[in-house]
């Protein structure tokens, strides 16, 4: 409901400090993909925005806004990554 991504650290016992909240999407988050090797997380939202997050700094390093118009519902519904080519696919 709050459009936040929560990154939990299970090795920190204090509930006040073991969660980092990543804000930026203006709609429900529908997909996440972590690229461990690159310390990157991809997120996609119904706001038709894809964000790339640096998991070391917990900051957005790139944002792509999908300008296409979809029917019957104008939103991204899924995200996939082709790792060999570093290509993001949405539909």
């Amino acid at each position: 409901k709050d459009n936040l991504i929560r990154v939990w650290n299970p090795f920190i016992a204090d509930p006040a400090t073991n969660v980092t909240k990543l804000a930026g999407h203006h709609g429900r988050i529908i997909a996440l993909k972590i690229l461990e090797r690159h310390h990157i997380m991809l997120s996609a939202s119904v706001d038709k925005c894809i964000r790339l997050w640096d998991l070391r700094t917990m900051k957005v390093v790139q944002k792509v806004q999908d300008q296409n118009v979809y029917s019957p519902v104008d939103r991204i519904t899924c995200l996939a990554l082709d790792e060999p080519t570093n290509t993001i696919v949405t539909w």
Side-chain angles (χ1 to χ4, degrees):
K1 289 183 177 184
D2 57 12
N3 306 323
L4 295 174
I5 298 169
R6 289 171 176 78
V7 180
W8 299 78
N9 185 337
F11 302 104
I12 298 175
D14 182 4
T17 59
N18 73 348
V19 177
T20 301
K21 295 178 183 176
L22 306 179
H25 283 292
H26 301 289
R28 183 174 48 88
I29 296 152
I30 52 94
L32 295 172
K33 172 72 176 165
I34 294 176
L35 306 172
E36 253 183 273
R37 180 173 28 145
H38 301 292
H39 307 283
I40 294 289
M41 177 174 58
L42 301 169
S43 62
S45 170
V46 295
D47 64 7
K48 296 185 357 179
C49 184
I50 300 164
R51 294 178 186 264
L52 281 74
W53 304 84
D54 184 324
L55 291 174
R56 293 167 291 200
T57 64
M58 299 296 178
K59 303 282 184 202
V60 173
V61 293
Q62 189 172 2
K63 178 179 116 172
V64 178
Q65 186 69 47
D66 187 344
Q67 300 298 320
N68 295 304
V69 177
Y70 301 102
S71 180
V73 180
D74 188 28
R75 68 179 182 209
I76 294 174
T77 58
C78 200
L79 173 136
L81 175 72
D82 179 35
E83 290 194 52
T85 63
N86 290 323
T87 303
I88 299 169
V89 180
T90 62
W91 64 92

